[in-house]
Amino acid sequence: PAAFVPVAEETGLIVDVGEWVLLEAARQAVAWRQAGTPVPVAVNVAASQLVQGDLPAVVADALTRAGARPADLTLEVTESAVLTDLDVAIVQLDAVRRLGVAVALDVFGTGYSSLAYLQRLPADELKIDRSFVATVGEDAVSTAIVSSVVDLAHAVGLVVVAEGVERADQVGTLISLGCDRAQGFH
């Protein structure tokens, strides 16, 4: 992805790739549900997908074609993607949420104005960047940051996901801090 995605973005193919990924993610979610393991699938949305075209229509089409439920998908957006055109992003994400599809703010805490966007962006989840999670429980500053972000997110009604969880001690610390979910190799 580190090599492919920038090329797709430069050539303008990222929008088509993004549409394909949404459809395949919806199909996979349906397959898992039918197999008895209902797991929502999170899909990263590129900045150009967010501000070009009609993202809500693309999402609705993927759900319909796959026979998926809105709860089967979560769209993940980064602050940098939203910054491309904040007003358009807000309209697009609000419409996606009205479809019943969750929106997650990805790699939270690494951008320039993260707190300001919490006020304006329609979101359901906040994902704490792995750079903070890596030393949670070991480093007092990282632990304080994660604790504060969890409290802040909960105060504004967001579910909190910690990214990059790789060890049992991180899980224990995150649970004690009230983190709702963990994502990683553990």
Side-chain angles (χ1 to χ4, degrees), residues 129-136 138 142 146 163-164 167 169-170:
D129 187 67
R130 67 179 57 250
S131 62
F132 301 110
V133 175
T135 55
V136 72
E138 298 171 0
S142 293
V146 171
E163 295 185 300
R167 301 182 320 270
D169 63 298
Q170 290 171 315

Side-chain angles (χ1 to χ4, degrees), residues 129-173:
D129 187 67
R130 67 179 57 250
S131 62
F132 301 110
V133 175
T135 55
V136 72
E138 298 171 0
D139 175 70
V141 173
S142 293
T143 304
I145 290 171
V146 171
S147 178
S148 297
V149 170
V150 168
D151 291 344
L152 175 64
H154 286 162
V156 297
L158 298 175
V159 171
V160 182
V161 180
E163 295 185 300
V165 177
E166 299 182 8
R167 301 182 320 270
D169 63 298
Q170 290 171 315
V171 173
T173 300

